[in-house]
Amino acid sequence: MAVSIFELFKIGVGPSSSHTMGPMTAACRFVAALGEGIARVARVEVALYASLALTGRGHATDTATIVGLHGIAPEEADPDAAVALIQRVRESGRMMLGGVQDIAFDERADILWLGRESLPFHPNGIRFTGFDTAGEPVSTRTYFSIGGGFVVDEDQTTANAPVEDHDEPYPFTTAAELLEMAQQGGLTIAGLALANEDARRPRDETEAGIARIAAAMDACIERGMSQRGELPGGLKVQRRAAHLRERFYARVERVLADPLATLDLVNLWAIAVNEENAAGGKVVTSPTNGAAGIIPAVLRYAERYHGADDAAKATFLLTATAIGGLYKRNASISAAEVGCQGEVGVACSMAAAGLTAIMGGSNGQIENAAEIAMEHNLGLTCDPIGGLVQIPCIERNAMGAVKAIDAARLALGGDGTHLVSLDQVIETMRRTGADMMSQYKETSLGGLAVCVPAC
């Protein structure tokens, strides 16, 4: 089954899709699974494992979980209201579980940070246990945040887990199958992806949803370019998108004479989004929060320099979805599992494919662009300083956006034929991630995360 566009692109809150949105979603699911049993719950214990614990404080995993236990999902969360809610919980030692059940909650005792323990299946494990007034368990459920805001529970981790069937007309699992089916059906990659979406919902609902995603990306760029001040977390990183914008437009004559001035704008747009993400603002997983700036920046580049209208934006996002789904199915989009090649690398690959599509590229050139983009992100580690999605993450999105544009231009310079296939690069990325030492996979135990503070 292909991944839907609304699974890869979700409107939510920062700073992390796997460490913020995922735990929030898991908490909501735990509350929903309690059903009528919620009335028996007097206390909830949350156990965070491995990567969720090691970088959870920097990724707001604790506060996201508190919000989720109130029954608030990421797409519904208001960042400002969430701050007030968390403050009330901390001051009172109480929370409204699911918004209906008043229970005791002391985050110092009820959130367990088990960074040295890892559950089977995935490093991002989270376990909820509800207790009654006698201290007896009412319910225990385990979830895994597998990247991009995707969450699976323990029942879905087995080979016999049920799979939702949408009877898609083009159920591809590899890039080779995608290209073959598109050729046989006389379709573009975007057209094929849209046909699969039609099996899930009416066309007008899909089109309206795509428009909401594009609008949310634009709004995030605009807000990011207007905000100033210090990002939360203690690194004292100053927001700079507003300054970059002012500097760009203050020297228009020099900019017009600079053949690389376009890169300044692409950098600005990507940085604006990821500063919003780092501040806990509203963003779109693309396909993750840590890589949320790449696709919006490249999409705005396409609009400004190639006249991309609403239809072209839909083509971009549908094409990107088809490519992103291949990584989701055959490798990973989780930095805790494969390093940042699974986040920035995948977003770069998706953006390159989408841009190639709206610049008139053939299906073969689109596949080539996606392959080029990932080929030059292989081995990219995830080692955020302080466990925060700030350094090197914010600038890394700017670099990824520029690299995506270059990959598209390289692919459009050829006819789509090339030696290394996208499927081969995806498999290489998966193997590279499996070989990568755990300290370079969103644990903040190696790389920049330890070398910079130590120096």
Side-chain angles (χ1 to χ4, degrees):
M1 182 179 69
V3 177
S4 170
I5 189 170
F6 303 124
E7 293 172 336
L8 281 183
F9 297 102
K10 306 182 190 75
I11 299 174
V13 294
S16 171
S17 49
S18 60
H19 287 58
T20 313
M21 288 176 59
M24 193 183 299
T25 299
C28 285
R29 290 191 188 176
F30 170 71
V31 169
L34 285 171
E36 294 181 358
I38 195 172
R40 297 171 52 207
V41 177
R43 183 176 74 87
V44 171
E45 181 181 270
V46 182
L48 304 172
Y49 294 87
S51 179
L52 279 187
L54 290 168
T55 61
R57 288 185 174 89
H59 287 70
T61 302
D62 47 355
T63 55
T65 302
I66 292 170
V67 173
L69 286 171
H70 283 78
I72 301 171
E75 62 272 19
E76 302 165 347
D78 179 298
D80 295 329
V83 170
L85 182 152
I86 292 160
Q87 186 64 27
R88 287 197 300 271
V89 171
R90 288 173 171 168
E91 291 176 352
S92 67
R94 313 287 300 180
M95 75 160 53
M96 291 297 290
L97 186 64
V100 297
Q101 176 74 353
D102 183 37
I103 67 170
F105 191 82
D106 178 358
E107 64 177 303
R108 292 168 297 182
D110 293 330
I111 298 181
L112 309 180
W113 302 86
L114 307 178
R116 294 183 179 276
E117 299 181 33
S118 183
L119 298 177
F121 183 69
H122 197 280
N124 289 339
I126 181 168
R127 179 171 289 157
F128 299 91
T129 304
F131 297 92
D132 62 19
T133 54
E136 294 297 319
V138 174
S139 175
T140 297
R141 297 193 66 84
T142 302
Y143 301 87
F144 297 92
S145 180
I146 61 174
F150 287 86
V151 174
V152 299
D153 64 32
E154 52 199 329
D155 298 329
Q156 296 173 300
T157 62
T158 67
N160 296 323
V163 177
E164 189 176 3
D165 184 12
H166 293 288
D167 195 25
E168 294 166 339
Y170 303 103
F172 64 92
T173 59
T174 67
E177 290 177 354
L178 170 62
L179 292 173
E180 182 179 359
M181 288 182 178
Q183 183 178 13
Q184 291 177 350
L187 296 167
T188 63
I189 289 175
L192 184 149
L194 183 58
N196 282 341
E197 296 293 338
D198 288 342
R200 296 170 178 262
R201 71 191 72 81
R203 175 72 64 87
D204 59 347
E205 291 184 15
T206 298
E207 292 173 342
I210 292 173
R212 282 195 299 273
I213 290 169
M217 288 180 175
D218 278 338
C220 190
I221 291 175
E222 291 301 321
R223 190 174 194 280
M225 291 192 299
S226 68
Q227 301 300 301
R228 300 177 187 274
E230 186 177 291
L231 292 172
L235 289 182
K236 301 187 181 302
V237 173
Q238 295 293 320
R239 297 179 73 138
R240 52 180 165 159
H243 169 71
L244 291 174
R245 184 186 198 182
E246 288 177 353
R247 183 172 181 271
F248 182 89
Y249 288 106
R251 52 192 187 96
V252 174
E253 291 184 2
R254 290 177 59 190
V255 164
L256 293 175
D258 183 354
L260 296 180
T262 300
L263 298 187
D264 294 334
L265 280 177
V266 174
N267 289 334
L268 164 63
W269 298 327
I271 286 172
V273 171
N274 279 83
E275 287 181 345
E276 271 297 285
N277 178 62
K282 282 276 188 179
V283 297
V284 180
T285 62
S286 311
T288 67
N289 283 31
I294 294 172
I295 286 175
V298 177
L299 196 56
R300 181 163 287 201
Y301 162 83
E303 180 180 24
R304 184 182 181 105
Y305 293 99
H306 297 282
D309 56 13
D310 290 344
K313 290 180 181 180
T315 293
F316 184 113
L317 293 172
L318 285 163
T319 304
T321 296
I323 299 303
L326 293 171
Y327 288 99
K328 176 71 175 57
R329 172 184 287 274
N330 299 314
S332 176
I333 59 171
S334 168
E337 196 169 22
V338 295
C340 199
Q341 59 177 355
E343 298 202 22
V344 163
V346 172
C348 181
S349 184
M350 292 168 64
L355 180 59
T356 303
I358 64 174
M359 289 178 67
S362 66
N363 288 344
Q365 289 171 318
I366 291 168
E367 185 260 359
N368 189 194
E371 179 273 325
I372 292 170
M374 175 52 77
E375 185 176 320
H376 302 290
N377 277 292
L378 288 174
L380 193 61
T381 59
C382 180
D383 45 2
I385 297 175
L388 298 164
V389 191
Q390 296 178 18
I391 302 173
C393 318
I394 295 172
E395 285 183 354
R396 187 168 283 176
N397 274 257
M399 299 297 292
V402 171
K403 190 179 290 187
I405 294 169
D406 196 26
R409 297 180 71 87
L410 283 170
L412 288 166
D415 62 4
T417 59
H418 51 108
L419 183 62
V420 179
S421 72
L422 177 57
D423 287 326
Q424 289 170 325
V425 164
I426 292 175
E427 174 60 14
T428 302
M429 187 267 261
R430 185 193 67 79
R431 294 186 185 185
T432 302
D435 291 340
M436 191 180 291
M437 298 175 70
S438 62
Q439 57 260 47
Y440 301 114
K441 295 194 284 190
E442 207 167 9
T443 59
S444 287
L445 296 175
L448 283 175
V450 297
C451 289
V452 171
C455 295

